[in-house]
Amino acid sequence: MVGLEERFRGEVESMIEPAGAADVLATALRRGGDFAELFVEDKRTTGASLDDGKIDQVASGRDRGAGVRVVVGDTAGYAHTADLTPPGLRAAAEAASAAARDGGGGTRTIDLTPTTHPSPSTTTKIPEDIPKARKIELLRAADAAARGAGDAVKQVMAGYSDGRRRILVANSDGVYTSDDQIRTAFRVQAVATGDTGMQTGYRSVGHTIGFELFDDHDVADVARQAAESAIGKLDARPAPSGTMPVVIAKGTGGVMFHEACGHGLEADAIAKGASVFAGRVGQQVAGKAITLVDDGTMAGEWGAFAIDDEGHPAGRNTLIEDGVLTDYMWDYLRARKEDRPYSGNGRRQSYQHLPMVRMTNTYVLAGTEDPDEIVAQTPSGVYIRQLGGGQVDTATGDFVFGMTEAYLIEDGRITDPIREGNLIGNGPRCLANIDALGNDFGMGMPGMCGKNGQGVPVGDGNPTLRVSELTVGGTAA
Amino acid sequence: MAELTDIVERIVGWAGDDEQVEAYASWGRDTDIEVYERDIESLSSAETQGVGIRVVKDGRQGFAYAASFDTDVLEETFAEARDNATFTEPDEWNGLTEPDGVAEATIEVWDGRLADVATADKVDLALRLERLVAEGDARIRAIESAAYGDAIVERALATTTGIRSALRRTVCSIAAYALAGEPDDTQTGFGFSVGRHVDDLDLDRAAADTVDRATRMLGATKPESLRTTVVLDPFVTSQFLSIIGSTLNGESVLKGRSLFADRLGESVAAVGVTLVDDPTDVRTYGASPTDGEGLASRRNALIDAGVLQQYVYDTYSGRRSGAGSNACAVRGGFKGSPGPGCRALVLEPGPMSPDELLASVSDGVLIQSVKGMHSGVNPISGDFSTGADGLRITDGALGEPLREFTIGSTIQKMLQGVIAVGNDLEFLPFSAAGQSLAISDVTISGT
C-alpha cells in the first residue's frame, strides 16, 4: 500500500521536477508580482453505462495540462496549457504574467521544498487495474436487481465511473507538493410506470477510494432502493403547498446546510459583502445543538483529499460550534489578505480554472434526540427521505433544495408519499428554526457542487433533524 | 482549422475493415476577465483543444477522448475507443450517420475581428459596465462581479461513412451581478449582453437590467400561498423551454422516459404554442450549419399550434424509431459522444408587447428569476416546482416585490395553460430563446 502511494507520487512529480517548476515560477514573476503558482494535473477517467437493458456506452478520457497563476496586488492573471514541455510551460508563465499588471520586475529565486501530506484515503484496488469486464458486470447486476424489484419498473439506467486525478502544486512561497485522488462512483435511475404516469427513483454511491467501493456497497442494493423509490412514488399525492414543519432523514439533509449556510460562509462571498453571514463571526446563528464542520480530511468521503488545489493540506474546520459562527472557509487569496492560516478550501475543477473557495465534506454533528421521537412529536408536516440538489443566493440568503423522495407526516406518523418539488427558505432563518436534532448520523450521496461554472466533488452529512418552518413548493392546498 | 481537418482525417484513416470511425476535434481560445472595485480581479486567457473518437464495429460502440493532439495520445485514444467498443453490447441501430443529401445553409457565426480586439479594450468593457451599474442607482451597494468573456472556437468532424464538417464560431459577452439595499435588506440583480463581436455588446442595456432587477426587488416580502397566473420573464421562459425540449428527446421517447411518448398528432399545449428548433436561424446562439454528427441543420417544428409534430432525433434514435435523424445530434464538446437534443428553440412570438400582456393578465405574479430548475423539475414525471422571486401584478400593472416563494405545477398543465405569448423575443446564449410568457393556474407556495 505504501509502495503504491510512492509509485503514484513519483509519477506525478516526474511530470515536473522541482528545478523545472522553479524555472516556470521565476519566469512567471520576471515582470513582477507578489505570488506565482504552477498547477499540474493529469486525469484519467473511465465510465460505463447501461440503458434500456444494454451496455450502451463505455468511454475513457484523458486530461492533462498545467495552469500558471500570477498575483499582483488584488489582480490574478491566469493561463493554462496542455503542453507540459519546458517551452510550453514557460509560454503559459509568460501569458499569466502579462495578464497580471506589470509590477516592478526583477529576478526572484524560488526555493521549493518537496512536501508530502498524508492522504485521508487509502486505495489498494486501483480502478485502472480492474478489468473493464468486471465494471460492466456491476451494471448488469444493478439492472437485474432494479427490474426484480417490481413489474412497474419499466426502465433502468445505471452508470459506473472512476477517475484518477494526479495533481502537483508548486508556488513562490516554496510549496512543492502533490496528490493522487482516486474516486469511484455508481448510480442507478429507475423509471416506474403506473396508472398515474411515470415516476423516477435515484440512488448513487461514491467515495474517494478505488474499487473497494464495492466491498462496502452492493450495487444490487443501490438499484433496489432506486427502484423501490420509483415504485413508491406511483402512489404519490401532490405535495403540499405552504409553510410547515419539515423532518429530514439522516444522511440526506446535508445539502440543505450546503445551501442554507455553506456557500454563505465562503470567504469570497464574505469579502464582497455578498453573504448574509458577513460580519457575524462570534454571533449565535443557530440553536445551541448545531455544530457544522467542513472536513476535507474525512477518510474516503467524496470531497476528501490530501491537498487542496492550491497545495495546502486538507483541514477539518469547524464553522459553527454550539450555534455560534466560528469561522469562514478560505482560499489562498482571501487568507493572505486577512493574514490568517489557509483552511484547505482552495479548489478548482481542472487545470483550466482559477481556484476559488469551495466546500469539501460539510456536515452537522449528531444531536441527542431519538429520530423516531422527532417524527412522533411532529403533528403534521413533511418527512424527506431523499433530497435532490439545491441553489442559493448568498447575498439574500434565499435558497432552495429539491425533495426527490418525501412523505406526509400526519398525527406524528409517516404516511403517504408525495410528489417531487423544491423547498424554499432563507439561510439564517432556517438555521434558527432547526428545533430538533437526532442522535443518528449519515453521510449523503456524492454531490457535484457548481459555482461560477466550476464543478467539484463534495460530500455532506447530517443527523435526522426538524426545521419548524420551511416552505414546501407543492401544488396541494 | 486546416490542422483540425488534418487530425480528423488522419484518425479516420486508422479504421480497420468493417469498422466505422468518427473523429471530432475542437480548438478554442477563451478570455475571461472579472473586475471588482474598479480593478482587474482576474484575467484568464487560454487555449483548449481535444479530440473525441467513436468506433463502431459489429454493432458495438466505444468512445474515448483526450485533451491533446499529440500523436501518441491520439493513437492511445483511438485504441481506447476501439477497446471500449468490445465491452458494449451489439445494438442493431448503432452505426455512424451517412450524408442524407440535405444542403448546408450558409450561416455565419464567426466574426474574425474578435481575435484582434486588444485585451486592454476587453478589460475596459468590464470596467465600463461596472461603472454604469454603480452610477445607475444610489441604492446599488456593491457590484459582486462585472465580467467580460469571449471564445473563439473551431471544430472539425470526419467519419468513415463520408461525413465531413467544419465550423468556426465566435461569441463574447458581458455580465454584471449587483447588490442593492442595506445589508439587512439586500436584493440582487443581474444583466448581460451577448454578441459575435464586442461591437454587438449593449453595455447600457446590461447595466440597466442589472440595476432594475436588483432595485425593484427592495423591500420584497414573502407572498401568501395562492393559485394564480404567472408571467415568465424572457430569461425564465428560455429555461422553461429548454426543459420542454428535453421532454421531446427522441431517445427518451424510445426508452420510455418521455411524458410525451405516443402523443404525436395530439394537442399537448395551448393553441398559441408553436415551438420550433431551428439552428439555421442565425440569430440563435445554437445556430450552426451542421449538427453534432455532421448532418445539415434544419428547421424542425416540434409543436404547431399546440399539436405535437415530432421528436428530436440523432442518428441512433432516428434509425431506431424509423423516422430517421432530423439533424438534432448535440455534443457537449469533445468529451462526450453525441445524443439527441435541441439547440435553437424558438417559441413563435404572439402579438402583445410585455405591457399589453401584463394588462391582459390583470392579476398574477411576474417571475423575474427562478432557482432550482435542476432540483425541483422532473422531465420524466412532469412535476414542476422551482424557487422564484418577482413582482405582483395588480390590475395589469407591476406592483410590490415578492421573494422566497415557489411556483408549482406540472409540465403538461403549464403547456396547456399558456394564455399569452409576448412579442418581445430575445435571443439568449442558451438552447432556447425567450419572451414574456403568461401561464394560468400555477400554485404559488409562500406563507
Side-chain angles (χ1 to χ4, degrees):
Chain A
M1 205 152 74
V2 171
L4 276 174
E5 195 159 291
E6 279 171 5
R7 184 182 111 206
F8 294 145
R9 291 192 184 229
E11 271 180 41
V12 67
E13 282 166 14
S14 72
M15 292 196 295
I16 318 280
E17 304 282 351
D23 178 56
V24 174
L25 296 172
T27 302
L29 291 175
R30 193 161 293 153
R31 285 197 267 176
D34 303 318
F35 173 79
E37 172 196 68
L38 171 66
F39 176 84
V40 187
E41 180 178 49
D42 188 354
K43 185 175 177 186
R44 288 170 187 269
T45 57
T46 303
S49 61
L50 174 146
D51 189 9
D52 202 23
K54 279 189 173 142
I55 307 296
D56 71 331
Q57 181 84 266
V58 177
S60 344
R62 178 87 189 267
D63 285 283
R64 190 176 59 177
V68 178
R69 175 164 61 146
V70 176
V71 179
V72 185
D74 289 335
T75 298
Y78 195 69
H80 63 78
T81 177
D83 180 358
L84 296 185
T85 63
L89 291 171
R90 266 199 299 277
E94 298 272 7
S97 155
R101 282 165 313 172
D102 285 352
T107 305
R108 287 262 294 272
T109 308
I110 292 151
D111 187 18
L112 296 178
T113 314
T115 311
T116 302
H117 296 287
S119 173
S121 308
T122 45
T123 289
T124 54
K125 298 184 178 176
I126 309 300
E128 287 160 278
D129 298 342
I130 307 292
K132 286 176 188 166
R134 177 79 192 88
K135 300 172 183 175
I136 280 155
E137 280 169 29
L138 296 170
L139 297 171
R140 292 214 177 85
D143 186 55
R147 289 178 191 275
D151 293 340
V153 175
K154 300 299 185 198
Q155 195 53 278
V156 178
M157 273 199 288
Y160 165 91
S161 61
D162 63 54
R164 181 167 155 209
R165 176 184 192 242
R166 291 175 300 156
I167 61 169
L168 179 144
V169 187
N171 72 30
S172 56
D173 291 346
V175 166
Y176 180 91
T177 186
S178 63
D179 195 8
D180 186 357
Q181 298 162 0
I182 294 177
R183 290 190 171 86
T184 306
F186 195 86
R187 62 191 183 278
V188 180
Q189 185 201 50
V191 180
T193 306
D195 298 340
T196 53
M198 287 181 287
Q199 288 291 341
T200 58
Y202 179 80
R203 287 292 188 277
S204 62
V205 290
H207 284 278
T208 306
I209 53 174
F211 216 67
E212 301 81 343
L213 178 69
F214 304 104
D215 297 341
D216 300 332
H217 296 275
D218 180 355
V219 295
D221 285 343
V222 176
R224 262 190 299 274
Q225 287 173 27
E228 283 162 7
S229 174
I231 294 167
K233 281 153 69 179
L234 288 175
D235 296 327
R237 290 160 52 172
S241 160
T243 299
M244 61 200 71
V246 174
V247 178
I248 300 176
K250 72 167 181 178
T252 184
V255 68
M256 183 182 85
F257 292 94
H258 181 101
E259 307 297 351
C261 60
H263 281 297
L265 299 177
E266 292 168 341
D268 45 1
I270 298 295
K272 292 183 170 180
S275 167
V276 281
F277 293 100
R280 298 197 62 189
V281 168
Q283 293 180 14
Q284 194 83 31
V285 296
K288 284 204 164 63
I290 306 287
T291 293
L292 179 73
V293 175
D294 181 80
D295 186 0
T297 72
M298 210 173 180
E301 285 306 327
W302 191 238
F305 44 76
I307 55 166
D308 70 3
D309 300 323
E310 298 182 312
H312 301 120
R316 182 185 188 279
N317 299 296
T318 301
L319 307 174
I320 296 173
E321 189 162 18
D322 302 330
V324 176
L325 181 57
T326 50
D327 201 0
Y328 303 122
M329 290 169 276
W330 305 83
D331 62 0
Y332 168 81
L333 281 180
R334 306 296 169 188
R336 183 187 69 149
K337 202 162 181 178
E338 299 289 321
D339 192 24
R340 53 146 292 141
Y342 307 116
S343 64
N345 291 98
R347 304 183 68 188
R348 59 183 117 201
Q349 179 175 313
S350 79
Y351 71 89
Q352 300 179 359
H353 299 88
L354 271 165
M356 285 187 284
V357 190
R358 305 301 295 264
M359 283 174 261
T360 62
N361 302 296
T362 313
Y363 54 91
V364 172
L365 303 190
T368 55
E369 295 174 57
D370 177 349
D372 294 335
E373 273 302 301
I374 294 176
V375 174
Q377 288 172 11
T378 306
S380 76
V382 164
Y383 179 82
I384 305 182
R385 184 159 286 156
Q386 200 68 60
L387 294 183
Q391 194 178 340
V392 63
D393 181 338
T394 57
T396 65
D398 289 352
F399 71 98
V400 297
F401 59 95
M403 49 177 186
T404 56
E405 184 180 336
Y407 302 82
L408 290 176
I409 299 175
E410 296 170 300
D411 299 326
R413 285 182 309 113
I414 296 169
T415 61
D416 295 341
I418 56 176
R419 298 185 67 134
E420 286 179 39
N422 264 312
L423 288 88
I424 192 161
N426 182 268
R429 277 207 308 279
C430 173
L431 283 184
N433 286 340
I434 297 171
D435 66 355
L437 210 57
N439 58 14
D440 52 353
F441 179 82
M443 291 296 287
M445 297 196 291
M448 192 57 74
C449 167
K451 176 175 171 181
N452 298 350
Q454 292 192 43
V456 297
V458 295
D460 56 54
N462 66 289
T464 298
L465 61 91
R466 182 176 59 211
V467 185
S468 62
E469 275 194 349
L470 267 178
T471 299
V472 179
T475 56
Chain B
M1 196 107 117
E3 191 202 4
L4 294 183
T5 308
D6 289 349
I7 288 167
V8 295
E9 287 291 349
R10 191 144 50 100
I11 294 168
V12 165
W14 295 337
D17 293 341
D18 307 323
E19 191 175 55
Q20 292 186 335
V21 174
E22 173 191 74
Y24 173 93
S26 71
W27 170 91
R29 181 188 291 148
D30 298 343
T31 303
D32 287 294
I33 298 163
E34 292 219 24
V35 302
Y36 182 65
E37 292 185 345
R38 299 167 298 285
D39 205 351
I40 304 172
E41 182 177 43
S42 67
L43 195 165
S44 170
S45 75
E47 291 187 7
T48 306
Q49 61 189 34
V51 61
I53 302 172
R54 237 191 331 167
V55 172
V56 184
K57 188 174 183 185
D58 302 330
R60 300 167 191 264
Q61 173 175 306
F63 179 81
Y65 76 84
S68 166
F69 290 154
D70 293 345
T71 298
D72 60 328
V73 176
L74 294 181
E75 285 172 353
E76 179 192 312
T77 307
F78 179 75
E80 273 289 321
R82 185 182 261 173
D83 184 53
N84 286 341
T86 65
F87 293 97
T88 60
E89 280 164 277
D91 186 328
E92 59 181 308
W93 313 112
N94 270 336
L96 301 179
T97 198
E98 288 172 15
D100 65 357
V102 176
E104 281 183 26
T106 307
I107 299 166
E108 194 54 271
V109 290
W110 161 270
D111 189 329
R113 298 173 302 149
L114 184 63
D116 303 326
V117 178
T119 302
D121 292 337
K122 298 175 183 178
V123 170
D124 191 51
L125 284 170
L127 289 170
R128 278 163 56 201
L129 175 63
E130 187 189 43
R131 194 171 63 237
L132 284 171
V133 174
E135 292 169 353
D137 193 296
R139 293 168 294 172
I140 295 291
R141 181 174 97 234
I143 296 148
E144 188 180 341
S145 75
Y148 168 89
D150 66 32
I152 297 172
V153 180
E154 298 182 356
R155 63 177 211 215
L157 179 75
T159 70
T160 50
T161 52
I163 294 287
R164 294 292 181 276
S165 143
L167 170 76
R168 51 187 196 169
R169 189 167 64 82
T170 58
V171 64
C172 60
S173 65
I174 46 163
Y177 189 75
L179 316 181
E182 300 304 316
D184 59 354
D185 175 27
T186 296
Q187 292 298 333
T188 59
F190 65 93
F192 62 89
S193 178
V194 194
R196 301 280 174 207
H197 183 266
V198 292
D199 291 347
D200 302 335
L201 300 177
D202 186 344
L203 268 72
D204 292 323
R205 166 83 197 273
D209 282 352
T210 308
V211 171
D212 273 1
R213 285 195 170 108
T215 55
R216 73 181 184 177
M217 289 302 296
L218 286 171
T221 57
K222 188 170 179 134
E224 72 286 6
S225 298
L226 78 159
R227 196 167 281 203
T228 188
T229 296
V230 293
V231 176
L232 307 184
D233 172 273
F235 189 78
V236 177
T237 299
S238 162
Q239 295 174 66
F240 177 64
L241 294 179
S242 295
I243 288 170
I244 303 304
S246 74
T247 67
L248 301 177
N249 177 317
E251 188 170 330
S252 299
V253 171
L254 289 165
K255 293 181 173 174
R257 281 194 294 267
S258 168
L259 51 94
F260 293 120
D262 306 321
R263 299 291 306 277
L264 284 183
E266 294 179 23
S267 165
V268 297
V271 173
V273 175
T274 290
L275 183 66
V276 300
D277 183 45
D278 186 7
T280 68
D281 183 341
V282 73
R283 300 171 300 173
T284 66
Y285 282 87
S288 64
T290 57
D291 78 342
E293 292 181 309
L295 288 180
S297 296
R298 54 209 75 173
R299 179 183 191 277
N300 289 308
L302 304 179
I303 298 173
D304 186 16
V307 176
L308 183 59
Q309 301 295 316
Q310 60 180 322
Y311 306 111
V312 295
Y313 293 113
D314 62 354
T315 297
Y316 170 85
S317 58
R319 205 176 267 154
R320 183 169 158 181
S321 73
S325 173
N326 47 10
C328 290
V330 294
R331 50 200 316 158
F334 63 86
K335 294 187 182 182
S337 52
C342 299
R343 285 175 285 156
L345 289 168
V346 177
L347 184 61
E348 190 172 286
M352 281 188 271
S353 69
D355 284 344
E356 290 165 342
L357 190 141
L358 288 178
S360 77
V361 164
S362 186
D363 292 297
V365 177
L366 173 79
I367 305 301
Q368 168 166 304
S369 73
V370 290
K371 26 176 174 301
M373 274 276 193
H374 63 302
S375 58
V377 179
N378 185 324
I380 298 178
S381 69
D383 288 330
F384 187 100
S385 165
T386 76
D389 57 42
L391 301 162
R392 201 183 290 277
I393 304 167
T394 308
D395 296 332
L398 292 179
E400 58 176 303
L402 303 171
R403 68 185 276 198
E404 204 193 326
F405 62 92
T406 63
I407 50 178
S409 183
T410 65
I411 291 170
Q412 300 91 318
K413 268 190 65 186
M414 290 173 83
L415 277 177
Q416 296 287 4
V418 169
I419 51 175
V421 182
N423 66 2
D424 51 335
L425 185 63
E426 271 189 60
F427 292 92
L428 300 165
F430 311 110
S431 65
Q435 64 269 78
S436 298
L437 183 67
I439 300 174
S440 66
D441 201 23
V442 170
T443 302
I444 302 274
S445 297
T447 59

